[in-house]
Amino acid sequence: MQLIQENPDLSAYLAADEAIDHHHPVVREVSARLASDVQDSYEYARAAFEYVRDRITHSQDADDPRVTWRASDVLEQGTGICYAKAHALAALLRAEDIPTALCYQYLGVVHGLVAVRFQGSWHRQDPRGNKPGVDARFSLAGERLAFTPDPSSNEMDHPVLYAAPHPTVLRALRDAPDRSHLWRTLPAVLP
């Protein structure tokens, strides 16, 4: 699949916004801690991915009713669904000047993940969190995502790389008073 940058300006994929608040002290503290244990940006990206995948619970898996959407809140509260975890990973990566995009898959509902820019190319990564049947890993040598779309079920990868969270996704997160409500209102497609 050919990935398509929504914005041709690569600096857009380093920017902070309301959801990817990489200048927030919580994000800066986690990024500094992760950066102190690695030698280069590739090792940092792997460490940040594994931190979000393994240390931030997927709220559905953990039966956590809280809905987080801002990266700093995700890191502080330690929970979020795929979109929120993608926001947290994007913030940690952008905090260390690694261009990071938000991207999506259609899997009956819209699933969120990120793409990182290394070696002149974008590489999708899925920090959703592993569980039985899900084994996502950080990789530049081929995708190791949580899910593979099933075309026979009308599932597919969405090729656009967004610099900011898609407004439909952000609206669903913000409008949800709890995870059970969010689960009933997850977007099935992106307009």
Side-chain angles (χ1 to χ4, degrees), residues 83-177:
Y83 311 133
K85 292 182 72 159
H87 298 169
L89 180 55
L92 288 173
L93 295 171
R94 289 180 183 187
E96 293 296 319
D97 294 323
I98 299 171
T100 308
L102 297 163
C103 46
Y104 304 94
Q105 294 176 311
Y106 300 129
L107 305 170
V109 294
V110 175
H111 173 63
L113 49 154
V114 303
V116 296
R117 181 104 174 156
F118 275 105
Q119 303 167 344
S121 299
W122 289 101
H123 306 272
R124 294 189 310 163
Q125 313 294 326
D126 192 343
R128 180 229 179 268
N130 290 339
K131 63 180 187 172
V134 175
D135 185 26
R137 297 182 184 268
F138 185 85
S139 175
L140 302 184
E143 293 186 337
R144 298 289 307 268
L145 305 178
F147 306 108
T148 302
D150 176 6
S152 68
S153 298
N154 293 322
E155 295 179 350
M156 61 184 260
D157 289 308
H158 186 67
V160 178
L161 300 173
Y162 296 93
H166 193 282
T168 301
V169 167
L170 203 51
R171 187 171 37 260
L173 289 167
R174 284 184 178 156
D175 291 351

Side-chain angles (χ1 to χ4, degrees), residues 58-99:
H58 188 285
S59 57
Q60 177 72 12
D61 295 349
D63 199 26
D64 190 324
R66 296 175 291 173
V67 175
T68 54
W69 57 271
R70 187 176 285 120
S72 56
D73 293 338
V74 174
L75 295 171
E76 189 170 60
Q77 295 180 38
T79 192
I81 68 163
C82 60
Y83 311 133
K85 292 182 72 159
H87 298 169
L89 180 55
L92 288 173
L93 295 171
R94 289 180 183 187
E96 293 296 319
D97 294 323
I98 299 171

